[in-house]
Amino acid sequence: MNLEQIAKLSGVSRSTVSRVINNDPNVSVATREKVMQVVKRVNYTPNAAARGLAAGRTHVLGLVIPMGVAALFTDPYFPILIQGVSSACNAREYSVMLWLAEPEYERRQIRQIMYSGLVDGVIVSSMLMNDSLVQALSDGDLPFMLVGRHPTDTHANYVDADNIGGAREAVTHLLRLGRARVATITGPQNMIAGADRLAGYQAALRDRGLLSDPGLIAEGDFTEAGGYRAMQQLLARRPDAVFAASDIMALGAIRALREAGLRVPEDVAIVGFDDLPQSTRAEPPLTTVRQPTYRLGTTTVDSLLDLIEYPDSSPRRIVLPTELVVRASCGSALK
Amino acid sequence: MNLEQIAKLSGVSRSTVSRVINNDPNVSVATREKVMQVVKRVNYTPNAAARGLAAGRTHVLGLVIPMGVAALFTDPYFPILIQGVSSACNAREYSVMLWLAEPEYERRQIRQIMYSGLVDGVIVSSMLMNDSLVQALSDGDLPFMLVGRHPTDTHANYVDADNIGGAREAVTHLLRLGRARVATITGPQNMIAGADRLAGYQAALRDRGLLSDPGLIAEGDFTEAGGYRAMQQLLARRPDAVFAASDIMALGAIRALREAGLRVPEDVAIVGFDDLPQSTRAEPPLTTVRQPTYRLGTTTVDSLLDLIEYPDSSPRRIVLPTELVVRASCGSALK
DNA sequence: CCAAGATGTGGGAGCGCTCCCAAGGACGGG
DNA sequence: CCCGTCCTTGGGAGCGCTCCCACATCTTGG
């Protein structure tokens, strides 16, 4: 079923049907009504390929998620991000093309994403410090948005959670509770979120005029096992509090502390980051920094569509606030 | 950059370039070489929309995941399934269009999926017993595959994990260990996997000539809280073992048992289903049934592409085996 | 009452590709 | 030596849509 046939059935021209379909105001009410009825009756849907070809707009957005990162789908960050992106696209009548970026197909994927004309714009969940896709997008002219800010490419538009602010608030909370030796288990330092959360930790110390002790900083990798190992390393320095850059690492840290015969939060207070569903049920329930992952997705879509429509307007850099969720592991209740 | 321009640059016709791009054998080696060089040099990628329009093949597969189900992205089933689908598509030079089916957009989405010509075929993760999309697909002629078998539509092709067999093996394992009152916490009975796992439980009992006691069956909802509640219900019937239809429910059950002062596995043995990453670290580590989620995804893609290429061949119904992973919670080590 | 603008409609061109048919050249068998 | 055949190449048509321009009709003001 195509435009021409709808036109014949409703006794108007192909052009008029097209106008009706696309909500062009230059159609009389009567004609619009007549055409709409036929469209409904035969359950007509315009051919997306033809539309894309003729108009240069496909009404499809690309979503690129790097698969290089190890423990990728273990935590629900990406699933929820995907959900946010997808929902926002649904609401705006867009579809989502999902590419999980695998290194072995990288070159082909980049070409495909950028030059095949499949999508009107791309959302890239940029985790790594230098990403060849981001590089290619910067050099090209396909509209794109990053989820997660990009440290080097100052040209790129992004939406990000306030990782620095969230980490700073978490650490400040520990310091206010009277903890003196606050350690941190960081994320990988080649990931932007990892670096930012460490920066927030350091900022909180600086705020109170404290020096950051390198011995109290251990690098993890956003996995449970990594948190466990990092905590074991830190044990020798006798911290009385730990800010873990992710909940899953906080859980690993708690396991290490327990094995060492230390109590949480009495001996060592813990704060995580992410607010996983399981963190509520942890023993003890985890104090953590919640980030608005779903809204990250919806906001990015909105910004990208805006960018597509008004390409020349000012840069889009949005930082969404995080929220400290106080439970038992930080020892607030001890006071 | 389009075909015509490549043709001019390499001194041949549009048709010949097209043939080179599409690996048509009817091109001399010399010509192919010459064209390929130009293609490489200018980094040409054919326009997907034009291709789709002209050839009727888009090289895009749709992946539909229902959002109706509540605790959807809490467990990594869907993320891993998506990964499998995406990887297989990458390997075959296909792209993935992801639709998270939200009820409020259902009608529009179904139309779009089926008639817009965006995709060559669809993969539907069919969880529910009756799904209007599956109905529509059955009536239409777009090639599709289900992940998860469909009980009523006998026409549909699917790939599924052996839920019945896995559950049966798990329960048989408990019975072999000498447990006499084996209860089960089921998934929602309007989900096919939920029903199948219960069927496996009952089959295991039947195998040993035992009657299934309705008092030992409690319906959960695949969430931790649901498992907890179901276990509390079961407590009165004094089971000495529980087969939970998902790990997350098993975790809830363990919490309920602990609160009731019962030991796992000494007093009550537990087996779960799914093999979540966290199940290894549970206290005690969870015995569980592992399903090949990733392979479910890749296998479905392979079957769908085969179906697209050979539409008239025999029905495709693939059931992938599960695997019992024995850890501590079933009490095997107690013997 | 007519020019000039607003309003609504129709048809041609063209988006970039694939598919089909035709044609040119090389080649070999009768 | 000619014709049929195979191999390779070129060009036309058309996929289903949008966009633009042209034209018909209707309004309105001087």
Side-chain angles (χ1 to χ4, degrees):
Chain A
M1 188 60 63
N2 64 21
L3 265 197
E4 204 78 51
Q5 299 178 43
I6 301 293
K8 201 160 294 170
L9 285 174
S10 37
V12 297
S13 76
R14 179 172 39 87
S15 298
T16 302
V17 179
S18 173
R19 275 186 279 260
V20 171
I21 297 288
N22 293 290
N23 277 318
D24 186 311
N26 295 327
V27 183
S28 72
V29 180
T31 310
R32 158 161 287 125
E33 199 77 357
K34 194 169 55 179
V35 173
M36 281 303 264
Q37 250 164 34
V38 177
V39 166
K40 284 253 161 67
R41 181 158 58 79
V42 304
N43 209 8
Y44 167 74
T45 307
N47 178 293
R51 240 182 171 172
L53 182 58
R57 292 268 249 117
T58 59
H59 278 247
V60 176
L61 296 185
L63 173 58
V64 182
I65 291 180
M67 281 281 74
V69 193
L72 192 58
F73 273 168
T74 308
D75 88 44
Y77 174 82
F78 284 106
I80 293 177
L81 183 68
I82 291 175
Q83 238 178 301
V85 167
S86 171
S87 274
C89 282
N90 266 342
R92 312 283 223 98
E93 307 211 13
Y94 268 71
S95 292
V96 179
M97 191 76 84
L98 180 71
W99 284 289
L100 300 189
E102 297 176 280
E104 59 263 53
Y105 303 118
E106 181 176 299
R107 296 186 62 82
R108 200 192 72 221
Q109 282 193 323
I110 290 180
R111 269 231 322 273
Q112 200 173 20
I113 292 167
M114 294 189 57
Y115 305 115
S116 73
L118 269 174
V119 298
D120 292 342
V122 191
I123 294 169
V124 181
S125 170
S126 97
M127 308 294 297
L128 301 171
M129 284 292 192
N130 45 12
D131 184 318
S132 56
L133 173 59
V134 174
Q135 188 57 51
L137 286 168
S138 290
D139 298 342
D141 42 25
L142 184 68
F144 72 101
M145 288 284 301
L146 303 180
V147 179
R149 68 190 195 82
H150 201 274
T152 58
D153 190 335
T154 51
H155 179 73
N157 299 309
Y158 63 80
V159 175
D160 201 356
D162 186 6
N163 286 305
I164 299 181
R168 187 176 191 161
E169 191 183 353
V171 174
T172 300
H173 180 70
L174 289 168
L175 293 169
R176 284 225 185 94
L177 289 171
R179 303 287 170 165
R181 298 183 54 76
V182 180
T184 186
I185 299 174
T186 74
Q189 291 301 299
N190 64 338
M191 289 174 68
I192 299 149
D196 279 357
R197 290 175 197 177
L198 174 57
Y201 163 83
Q202 290 169 322
L205 294 179
R206 220 176 16 249
D207 288 348
R208 305 214 132 205
L210 299 170
L211 284 169
S212 117
D213 171 0
L216 288 177
I217 300 174
E219 183 166 339
D221 58 358
F222 283 149
T223 68
E224 206 267 353
Y228 178 82
R229 279 194 303 272
M231 190 67 240
Q232 287 186 319
Q233 261 176 259
L234 290 171
L235 240 30
R237 315 302 283 247
R238 312 212 150 277
D240 59 5
V242 176
F243 165 62
S246 81
D247 278 6
I248 200 88
M249 292 198 297
L251 262 22
I254 290 177
R255 186 159 61 92
L257 287 167
R258 191 153 293 154
E259 282 184 13
L262 293 166
R263 293 165 307 164
V264 177
E266 291 82 352
D267 300 319
V268 180
I270 299 267
V271 178
F273 203 113
D274 284 344
D275 194 25
L276 299 188
Q278 30 182 322
S279 300
T280 327
R281 303 188 304 264
E283 191 48 53
L286 216 55
T287 293
T288 186
V289 180
R290 179 183 297 158
Q291 55 172 332
T293 312
Y294 185 88
R295 272 187 53 223
L296 232 42
T298 58
T299 308
T300 308
V301 170
D302 291 347
S303 297
L304 180 56
L305 292 181
D306 183 68
L307 182 64
I308 290 169
E309 198 146 359
Y310 310 102
D312 299 323
S313 50
S314 53
R316 289 161 185 79
R317 313 245 164 102
I318 302 174
V319 176
L320 299 178
T322 57
E323 179 194 353
L324 184 68
V325 180
V326 178
R327 299 201 185 96
S329 70
C330 61
S332 276
L334 260 44
K335 299 213 83 175
Chain B
M1 188 60 62
N2 64 21
L3 264 197
E4 204 78 51
Q5 299 179 42
I6 302 292
K8 200 159 294 168
L9 286 174
S10 37
V12 296
S13 77
R14 179 173 40 87
S15 298
T16 301
V17 179
S18 173
R19 275 186 279 262
V20 171
I21 297 288
N22 293 290
N23 277 318
D24 186 312
N26 295 327
V27 183
S28 71
V29 180
T31 310
R32 159 160 286 124
E33 199 77 357
K34 196 169 53 179
V35 174
M36 280 303 263
Q37 252 165 34
V38 177
V39 167
K40 283 253 161 65
R41 181 157 60 79
V42 304
N43 208 9
Y44 167 74
T45 306
N47 178 293
R51 240 181 171 173
L53 183 57
R57 292 268 247 116
T58 60
H59 279 247
V60 176
L61 295 185
L63 173 58
V64 182
I65 291 180
M67 281 282 73
V69 192
L72 192 58
F73 273 167
T74 309
D75 88 44
Y77 174 82
F78 283 106
I80 293 176
L81 183 68
I82 292 175
Q83 239 178 303
V85 167
S86 171
S87 274
C89 282
N90 266 343
R92 312 285 222 96
E93 307 212 13
Y94 268 72
S95 292
V96 179
M97 192 75 84
L98 180 71
W99 283 289
L100 300 189
E102 297 178 280
E104 59 263 54
Y105 303 118
E106 181 176 298
R107 296 186 61 82
R108 200 192 71 221
Q109 282 191 322
I110 289 180
R111 268 231 322 274
Q112 200 173 19
I113 292 166
M114 293 189 57
Y115 305 115
S116 74
L118 269 174
V119 297
D120 292 342
V122 191
I123 294 169
V124 181
S125 170
S126 96
M127 307 294 297
L128 301 170
M129 285 292 192
N130 47 12
D131 184 320
S132 57
L133 173 59
V134 174
Q135 188 55 52
L137 286 168
S138 290
D139 297 343
D141 42 24
L142 184 68
F144 72 102
M145 288 284 303
L146 302 179
V147 180
R149 68 191 195 82
H150 201 273
T152 57
D153 190 334
T154 52
H155 178 74
N157 299 310
Y158 63 79
V159 176
D160 201 356
D162 186 7
N163 286 305
I164 299 181
R168 186 177 191 159
E169 191 183 353
V171 175
T172 300
H173 180 71
L174 289 168
L175 293 170
R176 284 225 184 93
L177 289 171
R179 304 286 171 165
R181 298 182 55 76
V182 180
T184 185
I185 298 174
T186 74
Q189 291 301 300
N190 65 338
M191 289 174 65
I192 299 149
D196 280 356
R197 290 175 197 178
L198 173 58
Y201 162 84
Q202 290 169 322
L205 294 180
R206 221 174 18 249
D207 289 347
R208 305 214 130 204
L210 299 170
L211 283 169
S212 120
D213 172 0
L216 289 176
I217 300 175
E219 183 167 338
D221 58 358
F222 284 148
T223 68
E224 205 266 354
Y228 176 83
R229 279 193 303 272
M231 189 67 242
Q232 286 185 319
Q233 261 177 257
L234 290 171
L235 240 31
R237 315 304 282 251
R238 310 215 149 276
D240 58 6
V242 177
F243 164 64
S246 80
D247 279 5
I248 199 87
M249 291 198 298
L251 262 22
I254 290 177
R255 187 159 61 93
L257 287 167
R258 191 153 294 155
E259 282 184 12
L262 293 166
R263 292 165 306 163
V264 177
E266 290 82 352
D267 301 320
V268 181
I270 300 268
V271 178
F273 203 112
D274 284 344
D275 195 25
L276 299 188
Q278 32 181 318
S279 300
T280 327
R281 303 189 303 266
E283 190 50 52
L286 217 54
T287 293
T288 186
V289 180
R290 179 183 298 160
Q291 55 172 332
T293 312
Y294 186 88
R295 272 187 52 222
L296 232 42
T298 58
T299 307
T300 308
V301 169
D302 291 346
S303 298
L304 180 55
L305 293 181
D306 184 67
L307 181 65
I308 290 169
E309 198 146 359
Y310 311 103
D312 299 324
S313 50
S314 52
R316 290 162 185 78
R317 312 247 166 99
I318 302 175
V319 175
L320 298 178
T322 58
E323 178 194 354
L324 184 67
V325 180
V326 178
R327 300 203 185 94
S329 71
C330 61
S332 277
L334 259 44
K335 300 213 83 175

